[in-house]
Amino acid sequence: MTYVVNGRNFDEEPAPGQCLRTFLRSLGHFGVKKGCDAGDCGACTVWLDGEPVHSCITPAFRADGREVTTIEGLGSPGSLHPMQRQFRDAPGFQCGFCTAGMIMTSATFTEAQKADLPRALKGNLCRCTGYRGIEDAVKGVTGVETAAPGKAVGTSVRAPAANDVVTGRAEFTMDTHIDGMLHLKVLHSPHAHARIVSIDKTAALAVPGVHRVYTWEDVPRKRFTTAIHTDHLVDPDDTYILDHTVRFAGQRVVAVLADTVGAAEEGCRRVAVEYEVLPAVFDPEEAMAEGAPQLHGAEDAFALDPVHNVLLEIHSQVGDVDAGFAAADVIHEGTYFSPRVQHAHLETHGSIAWMENGRLNVRTSSQSPSIAKVKLAHLFALRPDQLRVFCKRVGGGFGGKQEVISEDLVALATLDTGRPVCFEYTREEEFTTASPRHPMTLTVKLGAKADGTLTAFQVRNVSNTGAYGNHGGETLYAGGAAIMIYRCPNKKYDAYSVYTNTVPSGALRGYGMTQPAYAVESAMHELALALHMDPLELRRRNIVRPGDPLVAMHEGPDDVMFTEDGLGKCIALVDEAMARTADEPPPGPGWLVGTGVASSLHETAPPTEHISEAWVTLGDDLMYELAVGTVEFGEGTSTAHVQIAAGQLGTTPSRIRLVQSDTDRTGFDTGAFASAGLFVSGNAVLRAANAVRDRILEFAAAHTGIHVVMCSMDDGGVVCGDHRVSLAELVALARARGIRFTAARKAYGSPRSVTSNTQGFRIAVHRVTGEIRILYSVQATDAGLVINPEQVRGQVEGGVAQGIGFALTENFQVDADGVMANPNFRNYRIPTYADIPRTEVLLVDSADSVGPMRSKGMAECCINPVAPALANALHDATGIRYRALPLTPERIYSRLGESQSAPTTA
């Protein structure tokens, strides 16, 4: 067959049944991405004779004799197609994994299609942006700015990789091919709980192309935790690479290594496994009951109470809640449920390993290559110098890649065979085996005086950690911020992290705070109504203020800086915004309109130790090289780091060459999670850039004989009094003396700051169908000093969009056997463009931060108030309190016939 791809002829024969996506990637066109393999996400969009198609569901043979255009053929970095330029300059991307498909679709739009984007973009999904940036890109709205030398901070400069992202040249994890590479696939358990009696590899090894079949007997018998933190002791070592007992449907049982993906998959089908099926338990309350099936039992040295499947319990009390409730005029109590939700990052998990000069190299989609390296070294008894772990651009994370769940198997296979090995998750594997958000059931009991003053605050939290502990303990502690947000002399928190025979839960944007925030902020709304008080006024009267202790579980000292009333300012801004806007309900009868608000407080770094090291060097080419371990996956840290360095060095971002996320080329970095990519790593960058600046100034001062205080840097040199010395001259002089302008500096996640968010919604609910339409969305956020206004706005919009999906459309359905029943985008339903309104983003001016230049990270905290604000708006519209998410039309409709009444109080 003959194919014309981007104007070049290929005489190639695709494999029988091969799709166009995999065929094009085999030809080296890696801009064609895999997000779903089902025609749902649009990341693989290419043109056939000028018409956009989803190449993952287009047979390769259908392109025979036709002209195929991929993102690489649409334009180049030096000659961008107009739509590529618009996506670069809006900007219309964050992680960039969906961008090629978005551009290939949007570049074909007529004016009529641009005027109806909900329909025109229905086949393309984005998990990062919230779609506003994409809309701006399609319509030619420019958001990026050019920074003057030394003035990058506070300017919406372009992302360093922008040109590569919009032309499909930015490398993601799987965008490479290594000669002789083998492919690994996994056989997953069909049972929620079973003991493996025997495994017969014979038929699998007979499949042509199969090289190895690995079982639990073939791997190091070392316990570890897949969760990533600097201090691994905060997470339980309750996991093996492969085990003889499976504890959830989907757990990996066997790994098959073969020449092709097809051969590996066939090998998995041929493995014969005999199981002894064991009793299973799926509900955490049932799992804690006497006589429940034990998941780990006495084998688990880390669980607090393995007999009752309890990984961790927290019991804390400040003051006397019984006395507080006795003193209350009004008491409200309610139980709220927040279910599993999936990260749904468009790039699935995956890793590639190979040997080079006797060293193991692992290229992976991770939020922390440094700690992935530590874990692999432990598992395979490697010295640090025997191992390199690195990332290219990562296609979304949201906490889902704060785990080591693909790296171990490729390392195992490469160390065994000496061959390069690739392991890439399918979308179904993401849903059934990767770690979703913890389901939590929270009972909140609040007592208040008639004037709204809180007298008692009690929370019981039961968290379903699934079959393994991962982040089960740390997320339980993180929920304390939902209690910390309000002043109250009497607080009690009882919490349980419980093992069940379900997919292990993990880290997800908001990290243990989103679920308690939903419960507490819903309960505060209900309490306000019982007090006949405006919900915002009740919050104003009870929020913590500067000078108040931040009390959740204890009254001891902490390392949190809290000197400005950012939360009060957020509430005021949202109140004003809701008052000045008015939105008409959709046309037609039957619509109920309601408004809702919610707030959250979030610490700017995790309480566990977070470390980052940055290196800055002025090179002979007069470019500054900035090396930092933080991974870029759409959170914008790369841009912020370059801006910080450019600002301190008196130059422009174009003069900063960024090296990142490579354990061979950068210092240790705990990872890009908990907003620490800006707050901690940004401080390391700031200190390293300052150190290099000071060395250059001192050298220039000594050279000119002018005091250093009279010297300052500009874009190409140093001005000392009336004399200017070029950087080229200074570098040459320094080299002659054996001096290099370079520095390394570290930063730590302590002390910390707090950031605040308040979300407001106005919605319409149809009384017949239960459909919700969002009429207006606004979020005020305390971002400290804003490094890049466009990026901050994009992070908030993306967080709100993700929160809307969690609250309204995303339903992680598990059947009676513990198996996820809807493991695909089509049935899980992450939001599309049509589902997401434009969110007005209001920034609070504050400076109470110890982050770089007094900035605060925004990628995580913005999601926390979204679901409760929607639930409160629904209550306001219908008079009915829905306490379980998601708020689907079916769930809403089923109760719309109830009498509309005030919430139950005691």
Side-chain angles (χ1 to χ4, degrees), residues 255-275:
V256 176
L257 189 64
D259 290 328
T260 65
V261 171
E265 289 176 336
E266 181 61 22
C268 287
R269 287 188 284 268
R270 299 279 186 94
V271 174
V273 183
E274 181 184 353
Y275 298 94

Side-chain angles (χ1 to χ4, degrees), residues 41 94 128 186 324 483 546 694 718 761 806 848:
C41 76
Q94 286 182 20
C128 297
V186 168
I483 304 169
D694 291 347
V718 177
F761 284 112
F806 296 164
D848 69 330

Side-chain angles (χ1 to χ4, degrees), residues 63-111:
D64 181 25
R66 302 172 69 181
E67 188 165 331
V68 180
T69 306
T70 73
I71 189 70
E72 297 95 335
L74 192 65
S76 64
S79 180
L80 296 178
H81 182 279
M83 190 57 69
Q84 290 173 314
R85 186 177 303 109
Q86 289 168 212
F87 267 77
R88 181 195 67 182
D89 294 343
F93 67 91
Q94 286 182 20
C95 84
F97 198 80
C98 74
T99 305
M102 284 284 182
I103 291 173
M104 295 305 291
T105 299
S106 302
T108 66
F109 285 168
T110 63
E111 290 304 313

